[in-house]
C-alpha cells in the first residue's frame, strides 16, 4: 500500500478542461503537504491503482455518453469481468464530472465511473461532483465547493502530520521552471506544436478552396472549406480536428504589452521549460527550446477568457494593493459572480485583462506566463463530405459579435480558418463523431440541420448518393434566414431532391412577415414522421445551435407524433440524437 499522504489525480477530457482542474487540485494539494502526481487516465499505470490510498478522477462526457479518448483504455480495464469485486477495497476516491445539462446523458461518464469504483470495493469520499457548463458561473459553481469538501474529508481520513499545518497558499507557485535559452532554434514547421496530439491518424493537407457561401452584404460570413482527402478516412457523422493559430494582430498586442511594461520579452526570445520534479512532467509539445513568438502564435490561447486561477497568479506578485485586492476577489469562491460579470459575460480575453491590471503586468515572469495563458485547444468540425468524394469539406460560420466591450468578439478558430489561403498546409486528424448512424441503410433517417448544422447531414447524403446500395428514406429539415442569402449547399440539396434521394423541407425565417423555423415545419409533417419514426422505426438526428432550437424541435416532434413520451423513449434508445454547440 502506498503512503497515506499521497494523492493521485487522474483526468480524462476531450477539451483539456479536466486536465486544467486536475492540475489545480494537484497544486492545492501542496497546501496539505501531500505528494502525488497528475496524469491522463490512459497514461497512468493502471496496475498501480490497487496500491493507491487516495485518488481524484476528473472526467468529461463526450457526445452520446461516451468517455473521452484519453480515458478509453482505462475504462475498458475497469470493466473487465475478471476483476475481483474487492480489488480497490483500500482506495478512497472522489469523482468530479464535467458535463452539459443540455444533453440527455449529463455527466454520464462520471456517474458510471463512480458506480464502477464502488462495485470494485472503492470507498467514495463524497458524492460525485456534477459540474455543469450551463451554470451561470460555469464549472466553478460545483467544483469549488466540491473540492473544499474533499479537502475536509481527506483531513478526517489522513490528518496533516504533527508539527505541520495547512498552508494559506500552495508552495508550488508554478508548474515548471522556465528560463531564457541561448541555444539557437532553427526554423521548424508546425509539426512541433502537435507533439501532444495522441492520435495515430494525423495527416497533412492543404486548402484547396476557401469559399464564402453567403453574400458579402450578409450579416454572417459562412465558409465551405475544401481539402484533398490525402491519407484520411472517415464515415458520415465523423469530425475533423484542427488546432488554430492566434491572429497576427493579437500576437503583436501581446509583445507590445511586454514592451510597455519593460519585460524585455521579444518574439525571438528563446525559452526552455523544465520539470521541477517528476510529479508534473513537461508535456512533449514544450520539450525543446522555443521562441516566444512561436508560443504566442501556436500554443497560448490569447483569446481565452481567464479562469480564477489566472487572477490568483497575477495577485501573487502584484505590487499594487488595490489591484491585488481585486485580483484576489476574482480568484475566490465568493467572488465568482463578480468574475462572471467582469470576464465571462462580456467575453473579456486574457490580453484585455492584462491591460486592465497594469501593475500586475509589471512583475510578470516567464513561469507565470504558462499559468496565465491556456494552451490552444484543438477544435472539431463535422465533416461535410463523403470520403468517396475524394474531398474533405467543412462548413464554418465565422464568429464575430459585439458585447459591451469596444472591440468585437471574434472566434479564434473560425477567423483563423477564414484567413487561410489556397495552398496553406495544416495538420488535421479525424475521429468518430457523436452520431450513431443505423447500420441498416434502409432505416429511415430524419435530419434537422439549421444553418451550419447541415454539415454532418451533407456527408450522410453524399455518402448515400455515391453508394451503389439501395437506401432508406432520407428527410432533411433545413433552416436559415433567407433563401437567397444563407441557403448553404443549395445546389447539392436540390440535386438530391430532384433525384428522389432526399425529401427536403426548408424554413426561411425572414422571407415572410411571420417567422418560420424548422419546428413549425416539423409540426406540419405528423403523418410522414409517424410513418418513418413509429411504423418503420427510423432515427431522428438534430444538429445545430444549442440555444433554443433543440428544445423547440423536441417539443414539435412530440406534437407531430402526438406522443411526447415516445420521443423520450427514442432518446433512451438513441434513436433521437443531438449534436449541438453554443
Amino acid at each position: 500500500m502506498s503512503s497515506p499522504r499521497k494523492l493521485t489525480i487522474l483526468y480524462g477530457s476531450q477539451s483539456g478542461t479536466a486536465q486544467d482542474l486536475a492540475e489545480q487540485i494537484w497544486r492545492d494539494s501542496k497546501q496539505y503537504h501531500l505528494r502525488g502526481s497528475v496524469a491522463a487516465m490512459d497514461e497512468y499505470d493502471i496496475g498501480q491503482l490497487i496500491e493507491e490510498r487516495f485518488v481524484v478522477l476528473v472526467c468529461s462526457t463526450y457526445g452520446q455518453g461516451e468517455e473521452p479518448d484519453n480515458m478509453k483504455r482505462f475504462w475498458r480495464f475497469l470493466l473487465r469481468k475478471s476483476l475481483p469485486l474487492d480489488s480497490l477495497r483500500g482506495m478512497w476516491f472522489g469523482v468530479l464530472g464535467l458535463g452539459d445539462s443540455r444533453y440527455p446523458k449529463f455527466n454520464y461518464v462520471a456517474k458510471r465511473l463512480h458506480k464502477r469504483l464502488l462495485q470494485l470495493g472503492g470507498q467514495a469520499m463524497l458524492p460525485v461532483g456534477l459540474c455543469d457548463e450551463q451554470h451561470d458561473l460555469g464549472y466553478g459553481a460545483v467544483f469549488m465547493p466540491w473540492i473544499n469538501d474533499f479537502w475536509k474529508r481527506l483531513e478526517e481520513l489522513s490528518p496533516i502530520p504533527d508539527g505541520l499545518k495547512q498552508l494559506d497558499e500552495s508552495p508550488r507557485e508554478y508548474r515548471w521552471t522556465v528560463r531564457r535559452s541561448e541555444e539557437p532554434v532553427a526554423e521548424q514547421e508546425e509539426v512541433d506544436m502537435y507533439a501532444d496530439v495522441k492520435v495515430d491518424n494525423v495527416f497533412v493537407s492543404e486548402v484547396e478552396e476557401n469559399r464564402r457561401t453567403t453574400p458579402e452584404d450578409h450579416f454572417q460570413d459562412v465558409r465551405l472549406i475544401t481539402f484533398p482527402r490525402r491519407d484520411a478516412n472517415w464515415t458520415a457523422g465523423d469530425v475533423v480536428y484542427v488546432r488554430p493559430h492566434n491572429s497576427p494582430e493579437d500576437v503583436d498586442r501581446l509583445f507590445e504589452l511586454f514592451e510597455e511594461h519593460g519585460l524585455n520579452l521579444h518574439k525571438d526570445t528563446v525559452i526552455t521549460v523544465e520539470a521541477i520534479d517528476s510529479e508534473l512532467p513537461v508535456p512533449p509539445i514544450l520539450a525543446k527550446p522555443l521562441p516566444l513568438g512561436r508560443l504566442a502564435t501556436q500554443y497560448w490561447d490569447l483569446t481565452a477568457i481567464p479562469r480564477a486561477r489566472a487572477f490568483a497568479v497575477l495577485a501573487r506578485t502584484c505590487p499594487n494593493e488595490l489591484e491585488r485586492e481585486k485580483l484576489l476577489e476574482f480568484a475566490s469562491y465568493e467572488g465568482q459572480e463578480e468574475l462572471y460579470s467582469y470576464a465571462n459575460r462580456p467575453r473579456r480575453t486574457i490580453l484585455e485583462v492584462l491591460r486592465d491590471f497594469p501593475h500586475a503586468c509589471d512583475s510578470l515572469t516567464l513561469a507565470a506566463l504558462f499559468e496565465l495563458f491556456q494552451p490552444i485547444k484543438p477544435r472539431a468540425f463535422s465533416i461535410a463530405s463523403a470520403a468517396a468524394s475524394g474531398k474533405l469539406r467543412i462548413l464554418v460560420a465565422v464568429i464575430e459579435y459585439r458585447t459591451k466591450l469596444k472591440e468585437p468578439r471574434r472566434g479564434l478558430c473560425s477567423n483563423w480558418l477564414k484567413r487561410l489561403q489556397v495552398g496553406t498546409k495544416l495538420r488535421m486528424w479525424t475521429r468518430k463523431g457523436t452520431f450513431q448512424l443505423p447500420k441498416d441503410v434502409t432505416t429511415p433517417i430524419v435530419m434537422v440541420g439549421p444553418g451550419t448544422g447541415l454539415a454532418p447531414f451533407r456527408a450522410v447524403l453524399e455518402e448515400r448518393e455515391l453508394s451503389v446500395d439501395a437506401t432508406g428514406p432520407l428527410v432533411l429539415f433545413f433552416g436559415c434566414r433567407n433563401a437567397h442569402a444563407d441557403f448553404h449547399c443549395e445546389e447539392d440539396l436540390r440535386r438530391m431532391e430532384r433525384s428522389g434521394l432526399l425529401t427536403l423541407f426548408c424554413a426561411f425565417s425572414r422571407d415572410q412577415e411571420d417567422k418560420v423555423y424548422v419546428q413549425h415545419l416539423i409540426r406540419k409533417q405528423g403523418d410522414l414522421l409517424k410513418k418513418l419514426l413509429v411504423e418503420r422505426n427510423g432515427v431522428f438526428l438534430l444538429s445545430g445551435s444549442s440555444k433554443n432550437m433543440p428544445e423547440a424541435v423536441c417539443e414539435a416532434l412530440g406534437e407531430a407524433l402526438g406522443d411526447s413520451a415516445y420521443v423520450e423513449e427514442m432518446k433512451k434508445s438513441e434513436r433521437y440524437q443531438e449534436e449541438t454547440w453554443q
Side-chain angles (χ1 to χ4, degrees):
M1 184 68 62
S2 66
S3 165
R5 297 297 299 164
K6 177 188 175 188
L7 176 65
T8 295
I9 306 162
L10 306 175
Y11 63 85
S13 175
Q14 293 289 115
S15 67
T17 305
Q19 180 178 354
D20 293 343
L21 293 182
E23 290 182 358
Q24 182 173 331
I25 295 169
W26 168 84
R27 185 181 296 106
D28 292 346
S29 73
K30 303 308 172 189
Q31 294 177 239
Y32 300 87
H33 304 279
L34 292 159
R35 64 182 185 86
S37 58
V38 185
M41 293 182 189
D42 279 2
E43 295 176 5
Y44 171 74
D45 181 1
I46 198 168
Q48 294 296 312
L49 199 59
I50 60 173
E51 303 293 330
E52 302 288 4
R53 175 100 189 274
F54 297 108
V55 180
V56 174
L57 305 101
V58 187
C59 58
S60 59
T61 296
Y62 177 73
Q64 308 297 321
E66 298 174 38
E67 66 278 1
D69 284 350
N70 59 358
M71 179 182 171
K72 289 185 182 297
R73 183 173 58 82
F74 181 90
W75 181 238
R76 283 196 301 269
F77 182 89
L78 288 183
L79 289 179
R80 288 184 180 180
K81 294 181 179 179
S82 60
L83 291 178
L85 295 184
D86 62 349
S87 301
L88 303 178
R89 64 185 180 277
M91 186 182 85
W92 290 89
F93 70 89
V95 174
L96 183 70
L98 310 181
D100 188 323
S101 57
R102 295 170 303 181
Y103 289 88
K105 293 190 174 181
F106 170 59
N107 267 314
Y108 187 63
V109 171
K111 294 172 184 175
R112 290 183 72 199
L113 177 60
H114 184 89
K115 182 178 179 180
R116 183 55 176 162
L117 293 174
L118 289 174
Q119 290 174 342
L120 294 173
Q123 301 174 81
M125 297 174 66
L126 65 171
V128 58
L130 302 177
C131 297
D132 185 3
E133 189 176 344
Q134 290 307 300
H135 194 285
D136 282 349
L137 305 182
Y139 290 149
V142 169
F143 170 71
M144 286 188 167
W146 186 90
I147 195 61
N148 286 338
D149 290 344
F150 178 86
W151 296 130
K152 292 175 185 176
R153 182 65 174 135
L154 184 63
E155 284 304 290
E156 293 173 2
L157 295 168
S158 181
I160 294 175
D162 292 340
L164 298 175
K165 64 178 182 177
Q166 179 187 337
L167 304 176
D168 293 333
E169 58 184 15
S170 174
R172 187 64 176 263
E173 187 173 2
Y174 303 124
R175 286 177 287 185
W176 308 301
T177 298
V178 186
R179 296 188 176 92
R180 293 174 184 266
S181 174
E182 300 302 322
E183 184 177 341
V185 177
E187 283 298 316
Q188 299 176 21
E189 297 181 356
E190 187 181 356
V191 62
D192 289 346
M193 294 291 103
Y194 285 77
D196 64 338
V197 176
K198 295 179 174 61
V199 291
D200 57 8
N201 63 339
V202 177
F203 61 95
V204 178
S205 191
E206 67 275 349
V207 177
E208 186 173 284
E209 183 183 30
N210 190 341
R211 177 168 60 88
R212 178 168 177 154
T213 66
T214 52
E216 290 294 333
D217 60 355
H218 189 60
F219 84 102
Q220 187 168 50
D221 183 351
V222 178
R223 300 275 164 162
L224 185 65
I225 306 176
T226 303
F227 306 89
R229 178 179 169 184
R230 297 296 183 236
D231 298 325
N233 200 14
W234 66 90
T235 57
D238 289 356
V239 298
V240 63
Y241 278 85
V242 296
R243 176 178 276 148
H245 295 176
N246 289 302
S247 70
E249 295 80 11
D250 278 344
V251 173
D252 287 343
R253 288 188 187 106
L254 175 65
F255 285 96
E256 288 167 4
L257 191 72
F258 290 163
E259 184 176 358
E260 289 171 15
H261 292 274
L263 297 178
N264 192 28
L265 299 175
H266 310 285
K267 292 180 182 179
D268 58 356
T269 300
V270 178
I271 57 96
T272 59
V273 181
E274 301 169 0
I276 295 174
D277 52 43
S278 61
E279 291 191 5
L280 194 65
V282 174
I285 199 169
L286 302 175
K288 295 182 179 179
L290 288 167
L292 288 180
R294 189 172 300 152
L295 286 166
T297 301
Q298 300 182 31
Y299 185 68
W300 290 329
D301 188 344
L302 304 184
T303 67
I305 301 169
R307 302 191 183 103
R309 164 66 182 161
F311 294 93
V313 170
L314 288 172
R316 192 142 196 172
T317 55
C318 180
N320 180 274
E321 185 176 345
L322 288 176
E323 278 192 18
R324 185 170 63 254
E325 183 178 325
K326 194 64 180 176
L327 289 165
L328 289 173
E329 178 187 358
F330 286 153
S332 69
Y333 176 64
E334 295 76 16
Q336 289 309 288
E337 288 193 25
E338 285 292 317
L339 175 58
Y340 184 85
S341 297
Y342 168 72
N344 296 73
R345 186 170 286 120
R347 315 299 291 176
R348 199 182 303 267
T349 70
I350 181 62
L351 277 183
E352 291 166 329
V353 168
L354 291 177
R355 288 207 173 275
D356 285 351
F357 293 92
H359 293 93
C361 284
D362 289 340
S363 55
L364 283 177
T365 64
L366 284 170
L369 297 180
F370 284 88
E371 308 295 327
L372 293 175
F373 296 120
Q374 304 167 29
I376 294 175
K377 306 297 192 300
R379 267 64 162 183
F381 293 89
S382 294
I383 299 175
S385 57
S389 71
K391 308 292 183 184
L392 191 157
R393 292 187 169 94
I394 55 176
L395 190 63
V396 181
V398 179
I399 298 173
E400 182 172 332
Y401 58 94
R402 288 194 173 274
T403 66
K404 69 177 184 180
L405 301 177
K406 180 180 178 181
E407 290 290 323
R409 308 295 91 185
R410 296 184 176 90
L412 172 60
C413 192
S414 63
N415 280 274
W416 171 70
L417 288 167
K418 170 186 174 179
R419 296 191 301 268
L420 293 181
Q421 300 296 310
V422 171
T424 302
K425 293 185 182 296
L426 65 158
R427 291 181 167 256
M428 319 167 79
W429 62 99
T430 60
R431 63 151 287 152
K432 298 300 295 180
T434 61
F435 285 136
Q436 302 295 319
L437 298 175
K439 293 180 181 178
D440 182 353
V441 295
T442 64
T443 300
I445 303 178
V446 178
M447 300 165 280
V448 181
T452 56
L454 171 65
F457 303 140
R458 187 189 182 281
V460 171
L461 293 166
E462 189 173 59
E463 197 169 89
R464 297 295 176 90
E465 186 179 41
L466 296 175
S467 172
V468 296
D469 297 325
T471 185
L474 300 171
V475 176
L476 173 65
F477 291 90
F478 173 75
C480 63
R481 290 195 169 210
N482 310 105
H484 68 277
D486 50 353
F487 191 171
H488 311 308
C489 307
E490 177 183 7
E491 184 179 336
D492 297 326
L493 297 179
R494 293 301 188 194
R495 182 186 70 250
M496 295 171 183
E497 184 183 34
R498 289 193 299 270
S499 72
L501 176 75
L502 171 66
T503 300
L504 178 65
F505 299 98
C506 294
F508 303 117
S509 64
R510 305 302 199 275
D511 280 356
Q512 60 284 311
E513 186 175 347
D514 295 327
K515 294 177 182 177
V516 177
Y517 298 111
V518 287
Q519 58 265 31
H520 298 132
L521 302 186
I522 288 171
R523 286 190 176 93
K524 294 180 180 179
Q525 298 300 322
D527 290 342
L528 174 63
L529 293 172
K530 287 177 186 176
K531 179 180 178 181
L532 298 181
L533 299 177
V534 180
E535 297 175 21
R536 297 191 57 178
N537 212 38
V539 300
F540 187 89
L541 308 177
L542 181 151
S543 171
S545 169
S546 64
K547 191 174 183 182
N548 300 313
M549 183 269 295
E551 185 177 351
V553 166
C554 181
E555 182 180 326
L557 181 60
E559 292 180 20
L561 299 180
D563 189 350
S564 57
Y566 186 80
V567 176
E568 293 305 312
E569 288 301 316
M570 289 181 65
K571 289 183 178 180
K572 290 178 182 178
S573 62
E574 297 188 351
R575 290 176 47 228
Y576 184 115
Q577 302 172 36
E578 295 181 359
E579 183 177 272
T580 61
W581 56 87
Q582 289 182 315

